[in-house]
């Protein structure tokens, strides 16, 4: 009889150990961030030969920057200390004059910490390959979205846009906060206009940065579990005394 009670006590001890291990487990968390950009050409006028656009070339592009162009330059990078993964979406360039691009990144973390920084370059460029002079007006609209799994995580998406000479035209950003873990913001560059002489190139360019930090937080063991475990051990101890 005493041997059986000892076995039960060992089983309870092992069960308690398992519950303790479960009490130090971590909760999986995740992030999602994106930047949807849309270029709209408001007007193109040939000032030299009205109606003729044959000398004008229009090029739209998107590129994720995965390596620095020069030492010390910014680029996309991910660091995971633990178990997790990150996926970035590089959209294919569309055809047929549709200048819409969405750059998105997402990640999950089972335990540890995760830091992800993504950099994307956008642009809509106009090249005058002829001898005429053009007047061009365009606009850049955007939707920035950021979402994090918990208050210990953070997600931010930032944009800045500029012309071909690097002159700043505007900026915007969204950030998650303790009480708002899913945020988005729509905005526009407003009307951007310029004239393009023979042989010149001009455009409206944008940099998008997405920064995300995750921490897999510990999951505390409920106090009721410890009370139940203590009660079971106490009952077994009482049975042991009665048997003796």
């Amino acid at each position: 009889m005493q041997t059986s009670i000892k076995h039960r006590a060992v089983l309870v001890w092992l069960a308690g150990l398992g519950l303790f291990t479960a009490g130090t487990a971590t909760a999986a968390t995740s992030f999602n961030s994106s930047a949807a950009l849309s270029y709209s050409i408001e007007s193109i006028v040939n000032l030299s030969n009205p109606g003729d656009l044959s000398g004008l070339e229009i090029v739209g592009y998107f590129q994720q920057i995965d390596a620095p162009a020069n030492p010390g330059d910014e680029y996309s990078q991910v660091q995971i200390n633990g178990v997790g993964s990150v996926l970035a979406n590089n959209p294919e360039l569309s055809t047929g004059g549709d200048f819409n691009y969405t750059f998105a990144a997402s990640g999950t973390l089972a335990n540890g910490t995760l830091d992800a920084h993504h950099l994307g370059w956008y642009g809509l460029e106009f090249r005058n390959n002829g001898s005429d002079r053009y007047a061009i007006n365009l606009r850049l609209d955007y939707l920035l979205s950021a979402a994090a799994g918990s208050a210990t995580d953070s997600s931010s998406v930032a944009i800045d846009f500029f012309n071909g000479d690097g002159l700043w035209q505007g900026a915007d950003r969204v950030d998650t906060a303790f009480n708002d873990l899913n945020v988005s913001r729509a905005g526009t560059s407003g009307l951007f206009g310029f004239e393009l002489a023979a042989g010149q190139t001009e455009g409206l360019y944008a940099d998008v940065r997405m920064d995300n930090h995750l921490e897999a937080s510990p999951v505390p063991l409920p106090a009721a579990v410890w009370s139940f475990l203590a009660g079971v051990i106490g009952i077994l101890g009482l049975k042991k005394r009665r048997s003796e």
Side-chain angles (χ1 to χ4, degrees), residues 41-58 126-137 194-198:
I41 301 174
E42 300 296 311
S43 63
I44 301 177
V45 178
N46 188 325
L47 302 175
S48 306
N49 186 15
D52 183 8
L53 303 181
S54 60
L56 187 64
E57 180 184 6
I58 305 174
F126 298 79
R127 303 169 184 172
N128 189 350
N129 299 319
S131 57
D132 295 340
R133 188 176 188 88
Y134 296 93
I136 301 170
N137 288 287
F194 55 91
E195 292 189 6
L196 201 61

Side-chain angles (χ1 to χ4, degrees), residues 135-151:
I136 301 170
N137 288 287
L138 70 151
R139 188 182 74 250
L140 171 62
D141 299 313
Y142 55 85
L143 176 63
L144 310 180
S145 301
S150 71

Side-chain angles (χ1 to χ4, degrees), residues 166-236:
L167 297 178
W168 182 76
Q169 301 295 318
D172 206 347
R173 67 178 295 145
V174 293
D175 297 90
T176 58
F178 181 79
N179 59 348
D180 196 354
L181 300 179
N182 194 338
V183 295
S184 62
R185 185 194 305 277
T188 180
S189 66
L191 196 64
F192 176 69
F194 55 91
E195 292 189 6
L196 201 61
Q200 285 187 332
T201 297
E202 180 62 286
L204 183 58
Y205 307 88
D207 289 350
V208 169
R209 296 169 176 83
M210 298 186 290
D211 288 285
N212 295 277
H213 173 76
L214 299 180
E215 296 182 10
S217 57
V219 179
L221 191 65
V225 175
W226 292 113
S227 299
F228 172 77
L229 182 59
V232 171
I233 295 174
I235 291 172
L236 289 178

Side-chain angles (χ1 to χ4, degrees):
M1 185 65 175
Q2 290 181 351
T3 302
S4 176
I5 293 174
K6 288 181 179 178
H7 284 325
R8 273 188 249 165
V10 170
L11 289 175
V12 171
W13 168 251
L14 291 176
L17 183 61
L19 289 170
F20 178 78
T21 303
T24 60
T26 54
T29 187
S30 63
F31 77 84
N32 286 280
S33 55
S34 65
L37 274 67
S38 176
Y39 285 97
S40 301
I41 301 174
E42 300 296 311
S43 63
I44 301 177
V45 178
N46 188 325
L47 302 175
S48 306
N49 186 15
D52 183 8
L53 303 181
S54 60
L56 187 64
E57 180 184 6
I58 305 174
V59 179
Y61 69 86
F62 167 83
Q63 180 183 8
Q64 178 180 317
I65 306 305
D66 289 322
N70 300 291
D73 280 359
E74 184 182 359
Y75 65 101
S76 301
Q77 52 185 316
V78 174
Q79 182 175 356
I80 302 174
N81 296 315
V83 178
S85 63
V86 173
L87 175 66
N89 172 44
N90 292 281
E92 295 288 336
L93 294 184
S94 54
T95 58
D98 184 16
F99 303 109
N100 302 314
Y101 314 99
T102 298
F103 180 35
S106 61
T108 60
L109 183 68
N111 61 68
T113 60
L114 182 153
D115 288 281
H117 171 74
H118 288 89
L119 172 64
W121 290 352
Y122 297 74
L124 187 62
E125 193 171 80
F126 298 79
R127 303 169 184 172
N128 189 350
N129 299 319
S131 57
D132 295 340
R133 188 176 188 88
Y134 296 93
I136 301 170
N137 288 287
L138 70 151
R139 188 182 74 250
L140 171 62
D141 299 313
Y142 55 85
L143 176 63
L144 310 180
S145 301
S150 71
T152 59
D153 305 327
S154 63
S155 180
S156 68
V157 182
I159 182 174
D160 63 280
F161 33 95
F162 45 90
N163 70 356
D165 294 327
L167 297 178
W168 182 76
Q169 301 295 318
D172 206 347
R173 67 178 295 145
V174 293
D175 297 90
T176 58
F178 181 79
N179 59 348
D180 196 354
L181 300 179
N182 194 338
V183 295
S184 62
R185 185 194 305 277
T188 180
S189 66
L191 196 64
F192 176 69
F194 55 91
E195 292 189 6
L196 201 61
Q200 285 187 332
T201 297
E202 180 62 286
L204 183 58
Y205 307 88
D207 289 350
V208 169
R209 296 169 176 83
M210 298 186 290
D211 288 285
N212 295 277
H213 173 76
L214 299 180
E215 296 182 10
S217 57
V219 179
L221 191 65
V225 175
W226 292 113
S227 299
F228 172 77
L229 182 59
V232 171
I233 295 174
I235 291 172
L236 289 178
L238 179 61
K239 287 184 177 180
K240 180 180 179 181
R241 286 193 297 273
R242 286 180 177 176
S243 63
E244 290 174 349

